[in-house]
mmCIF file of all heavy atoms in Angstrom:
data_model
loop_
_atom_site.group_PDB
_atom_site.id
_atom_site.type_symbol
_atom_site.label_atom_id
_atom_site.label_comp_id
_atom_site.label_asym_id
_atom_site.label_seq_id
_atom_site.Cartn_x
_atom_site.Cartn_y
_atom_site.Cartn_z
ATOM 1 N N ARG A 49 -1.457 6.045 17.709
ATOM 2 C CA ARG A 49 -0.709 6.223 18.989
ATOM 3 C C ARG A 49 -0.255 7.749 18.935
ATOM 4 O O ARG A 49 0.176 8.229 17.881
ATOM 5 C CB ARG A 49 0.506 5.379 18.893
ATOM 6 C CG ARG A 49 1.149 5.196 20.236
ATOM 7 C CD ARG A 49 2.163 4.045 20.093
ATOM 8 N NE ARG A 49 3.085 4.076 21.235
ATOM 9 C CZ ARG A 49 4.184 3.400 21.223
ATOM 10 N NH1 ARG A 49 4.573 2.658 20.234
ATOM 11 N NH2 ARG A 49 4.963 3.427 22.293
ATOM 12 N N ILE A 50 -0.416 8.402 20.075
ATOM 13 C CA ILE A 50 -0.002 9.805 20.152
ATOM 14 C C ILE A 50 1.046 9.955 21.255
ATOM 15 O O ILE A 50 0.740 9.647 22.490
ATOM 16 C CB ILE A 50 -1.229 10.815 20.376
ATOM 17 C CG1 ILE A 50 -2.317 10.502 19.396
ATOM 18 C CG2 ILE A 50 -0.793 12.187 20.445
ATOM 19 C CD1 ILE A 50 -3.646 11.185 19.679
ATOM 20 N N ILE A 51 2.182 10.467 20.922
ATOM 21 C CA ILE A 51 3.232 10.796 21.914
ATOM 22 C C ILE A 51 3.072 12.277 22.175
ATOM 23 O O ILE A 51 3.393 13.124 21.345
ATOM 24 C CB ILE A 51 4.606 10.491 21.418
ATOM 25 C CG1 ILE A 51 4.738 8.971 21.105
ATOM 26 C CG2 ILE A 51 5.690 10.942 22.409
ATOM 27 C CD1 ILE A 51 6.040 8.644 20.361
ATOM 28 N N THR A 52 2.383 12.605 23.315
ATOM 29 C CA THR A 52 2.084 13.977 23.554
ATOM 30 C C THR A 52 3.118 14.745 24.210
ATOM 31 O O THR A 52 3.124 15.991 24.183
ATOM 32 C CB THR A 52 0.801 14.078 24.492
ATOM 33 O OG1 THR A 52 1.136 13.380 25.673
ATOM 34 C CG2 THR A 52 -0.394 13.386 23.813
ATOM 35 N N ASN A 53 4.080 14.106 24.869
ATOM 36 C CA ASN A 53 5.097 14.779 25.663
ATOM 37 C C ASN A 53 4.548 15.402 26.982
ATOM 38 O O ASN A 53 5.289 15.979 27.708
ATOM 39 C CB ASN A 53 5.793 15.823 24.912
ATOM 40 C CG ASN A 53 7.008 15.340 24.178
ATOM 41 O OD1 ASN A 53 7.436 14.130 24.406
ATOM 42 N ND2 ASN A 53 7.586 16.122 23.263
ATOM 43 N N VAL A 54 3.252 15.206 27.180
ATOM 44 C CA VAL A 54 2.708 15.604 28.527
ATOM 45 C C VAL A 54 1.853 14.415 29.018
ATOM 46 O O VAL A 54 0.858 14.023 28.354
ATOM 47 C CB VAL A 54 1.789 16.840 28.488
ATOM 48 C CG1 VAL A 54 2.597 18.089 28.511
ATOM 49 C CG2 VAL A 54 0.925 16.868 27.153
ATOM 50 N N GLY A 55 2.403 13.742 29.969
ATOM 51 C CA GLY A 55 1.680 12.608 30.557
ATOM 52 C C GLY A 55 1.806 11.415 29.693
ATOM 53 O O GLY A 55 2.776 11.236 28.925
ATOM 54 N N GLN A 56 0.768 10.566 29.743
ATOM 55 C CA GLN A 56 0.776 9.235 29.111
ATOM 56 C C GLN A 56 0.652 9.370 27.614
ATOM 57 O O GLN A 56 0.086 10.328 27.076
ATOM 58 C CB GLN A 56 -0.352 8.417 29.726
ATOM 59 C CG GLN A 56 -0.158 7.951 31.098
ATOM 60 C CD GLN A 56 0.674 6.736 31.208
ATOM 61 O OE1 GLN A 56 0.459 5.761 30.492
ATOM 62 N NE2 GLN A 56 1.606 6.719 32.060
ATOM 63 N N GLU A 57 1.157 8.379 26.917
ATOM 64 C CA GLU A 57 0.883 8.255 25.493
ATOM 65 C C GLU A 57 -0.576 7.841 25.291
ATOM 66 O O GLU A 57 -1.156 7.119 26.142
ATOM 67 C CB GLU A 57 1.783 7.241 24.848
ATOM 68 C CG GLU A 57 3.197 7.658 24.770
ATOM 69 C CD GLU A 57 4.074 6.630 24.083
ATOM 70 O OE1 GLU A 57 3.535 5.685 23.502
ATOM 71 O OE2 GLU A 57 5.349 6.786 24.134
ATOM 72 N N ILE A 58 -1.175 8.318 24.226
ATOM 73 C CA ILE A 58 -2.519 7.943 23.950
ATOM 74 C C ILE A 58 -2.579 6.946 22.811
ATOM 75 O O ILE A 58 -1.940 7.101 21.758
ATOM 76 C CB ILE A 58 -3.309 9.194 23.580
ATOM 77 C CG1 ILE A 58 -3.281 10.314 24.756
ATOM 78 C CG2 ILE A 58 -4.778 8.940 23.221
ATOM 79 C CD1 ILE A 58 -3.738 11.623 24.355
ATOM 80 N N ILE A 63 -6.766 13.779 17.454
ATOM 81 C CA ILE A 63 -6.271 15.209 17.579
ATOM 82 C C ILE A 63 -7.127 16.104 16.713
ATOM 83 O O ILE A 63 -7.294 15.839 15.523
ATOM 84 C CB ILE A 63 -4.823 15.305 17.169
ATOM 85 C CG1 ILE A 63 -3.933 14.249 17.810
ATOM 86 C CG2 ILE A 63 -4.269 16.680 17.383
ATOM 87 C CD1 ILE A 63 -2.529 14.142 17.240
ATOM 88 N N VAL A 73 -7.105 17.009 22.260
ATOM 89 C CA VAL A 73 -6.434 15.705 22.108
ATOM 90 C C VAL A 73 -7.036 14.694 23.099
ATOM 91 O O VAL A 73 -7.318 15.048 24.197
ATOM 92 C CB VAL A 73 -4.955 15.805 22.431
ATOM 93 C CG1 VAL A 73 -4.193 14.554 22.023
ATOM 94 C CG2 VAL A 73 -4.269 16.991 21.829
ATOM 95 N N GLY A 74 -7.219 13.470 22.646
ATOM 96 C CA GLY A 74 -7.612 12.461 23.548
ATOM 97 C C GLY A 74 -8.382 11.364 22.855
ATOM 98 O O GLY A 74 -8.295 11.259 21.630
ATOM 99 N N VAL A 93 1.926 9.421 16.109
ATOM 100 C CA VAL A 93 2.004 10.875 15.862
ATOM 101 C C VAL A 93 2.730 11.516 17.074
ATOM 102 O O VAL A 93 2.480 11.194 18.193
ATOM 103 C CB VAL A 93 0.670 11.536 15.739
ATOM 104 C CG1 VAL A 93 0.682 13.004 15.480
ATOM 105 C CG2 VAL A 93 -0.187 10.835 14.613
ATOM 106 N N MET A 94 3.673 12.353 16.742
ATOM 107 C CA MET A 94 4.438 13.027 17.814
ATOM 108 C C MET A 94 4.764 14.491 17.355
ATOM 109 O O MET A 94 4.725 14.718 16.166
ATOM 110 C CB MET A 94 5.724 12.263 18.146
ATOM 111 C CG MET A 94 6.758 12.196 17.169
ATOM 112 S SD MET A 94 8.245 11.351 17.731
ATOM 113 C CE MET A 94 9.035 12.572 18.666
ATOM 114 N N PRO A 95 5.168 15.314 18.298
ATOM 115 C CA PRO A 95 5.551 16.664 17.863
ATOM 116 C C PRO A 95 6.770 16.627 16.971
ATOM 117 O O PRO A 95 7.623 15.760 17.070
ATOM 118 C CB PRO A 95 5.879 17.348 19.174
ATOM 119 C CG PRO A 95 5.311 16.548 20.253
ATOM 120 C CD PRO A 95 5.227 15.149 19.767
ATOM 121 N N LEU A 364 12.791 11.688 24.348
ATOM 122 C CA LEU A 364 11.915 12.167 23.383
ATOM 123 C C LEU A 364 11.742 13.716 23.573
ATOM 124 O O LEU A 364 11.682 14.467 22.612
ATOM 125 C CB LEU A 364 10.604 11.468 23.314
ATOM 126 C CG LEU A 364 10.697 10.022 22.710
ATOM 127 C CD1 LEU A 364 9.315 9.271 22.857
ATOM 128 C CD2 LEU A 364 11.135 10.094 21.241
ATOM 129 N N LYS A 365 11.646 14.080 24.789
ATOM 130 C CA LYS A 365 11.487 15.473 25.110
ATOM 131 C C LYS A 365 12.776 16.211 24.657
ATOM 132 O O LYS A 365 12.676 17.418 24.232
ATOM 133 C CB LYS A 365 11.218 15.747 26.590
ATOM 134 C CG LYS A 365 9.794 15.487 26.956
ATOM 135 C CD LYS A 365 9.650 15.803 28.486
ATOM 136 C CE LYS A 365 8.272 15.407 28.923
ATOM 137 N NZ LYS A 365 8.098 15.495 30.340
ATOM 138 N N THR A 368 12.340 17.448 21.212
ATOM 139 C CA THR A 368 11.109 18.216 20.852
ATOM 140 C C THR A 368 10.802 19.306 21.835
ATOM 141 O O THR A 368 11.023 20.462 21.550
ATOM 142 C CB THR A 368 9.896 17.214 20.851
ATOM 143 O OG1 THR A 368 9.905 16.539 22.091
ATOM 144 C CG2 THR A 368 9.969 16.229 19.714
ATOM 145 N N LEU A 369 10.372 18.959 23.045
ATOM 146 C CA LEU A 369 9.957 19.968 23.995
ATOM 147 C C LEU A 369 11.143 20.815 24.517
ATOM 148 O O LEU A 369 11.058 22.012 24.533
ATOM 149 C CB LEU A 369 9.247 19.294 25.167
ATOM 150 C CG LEU A 369 8.729 20.200 26.292
ATOM 151 C CD1 LEU A 369 7.738 21.291 25.722
ATOM 152 C CD2 LEU A 369 8.062 19.471 27.366
ATOM 153 N N GLY A 382 6.366 21.748 20.708
ATOM 154 C CA GLY A 382 7.008 20.900 21.616
ATOM 155 C C GLY A 382 6.121 19.784 22.281
ATOM 156 O O GLY A 382 6.621 18.742 22.677
ATOM 157 N N THR A 383 4.873 20.058 22.339
ATOM 158 C CA THR A 383 3.965 19.002 22.814
ATOM 159 C C THR A 383 2.742 18.930 22.004
ATOM 160 O O THR A 383 2.453 19.791 21.131
ATOM 161 C CB THR A 383 3.503 19.322 24.253
ATOM 162 O OG1 THR A 383 2.837 20.572 24.303
ATOM 163 C CG2 THR A 383 4.645 19.385 25.209
ATOM 164 N N ILE A 384 1.906 17.869 22.237
ATOM 165 C CA ILE A 384 0.581 17.792 21.558
ATOM 166 C C ILE A 384 -0.403 18.036 22.649
ATOM 167 O O ILE A 384 -0.790 17.153 23.426
ATOM 168 C CB ILE A 384 0.393 16.423 20.882
ATOM 169 C CG1 ILE A 384 1.472 16.271 19.806
ATOM 170 C CG2 ILE A 384 -1.005 16.392 20.221
ATOM 171 C CD1 ILE A 384 1.331 14.885 19.066
ATOM 172 N N GLU A 385 -0.836 19.286 22.770
ATOM 173 C CA GLU A 385 -1.882 19.601 23.747
ATOM 174 C C GLU A 385 -2.595 20.851 23.250
ATOM 175 O O GLU A 385 -2.203 21.482 22.279
ATOM 176 C CB GLU A 385 -1.293 19.836 25.169
ATOM 177 C CG GLU A 385 -0.199 20.904 25.224
ATOM 178 C CD GLU A 385 0.382 21.026 26.637
ATOM 179 O OE1 GLU A 385 -0.362 20.872 27.563
ATOM 180 O OE2 GLU A 385 1.584 21.371 26.678
ATOM 181 N N LYS A 388 -1.380 24.339 21.234
ATOM 182 C CA LYS A 388 -0.091 24.289 20.554
ATOM 183 C C LYS A 388 -0.341 24.225 19.026
ATOM 184 O O LYS A 388 -1.383 23.797 18.571
ATOM 185 C CB LYS A 388 0.642 23.033 20.974
ATOM 186 C CG LYS A 388 1.140 23.074 22.449
ATOM 187 C CD LYS A 388 2.300 23.998 22.648
ATOM 188 C CE LYS A 388 2.598 24.157 24.072
ATOM 189 N NZ LYS A 388 3.416 23.096 24.631
#
Side-chain angles (χ1 to χ4, degrees):
Chain A
R49 196 169 164 194
I50 306 170
I51 299 170
T52 59
N53 270 349
V54 275
Q56 290 275 312
E57 288 183 10
I58 299 168
I63 306 170
V73 190
V93 183
M94 66 177 283
L364 287 174
K365 279 181 187 173
T368 52
L369 179 58
T383 59
I384 299 181
E385 57 183 327
K388 293 285 171 81

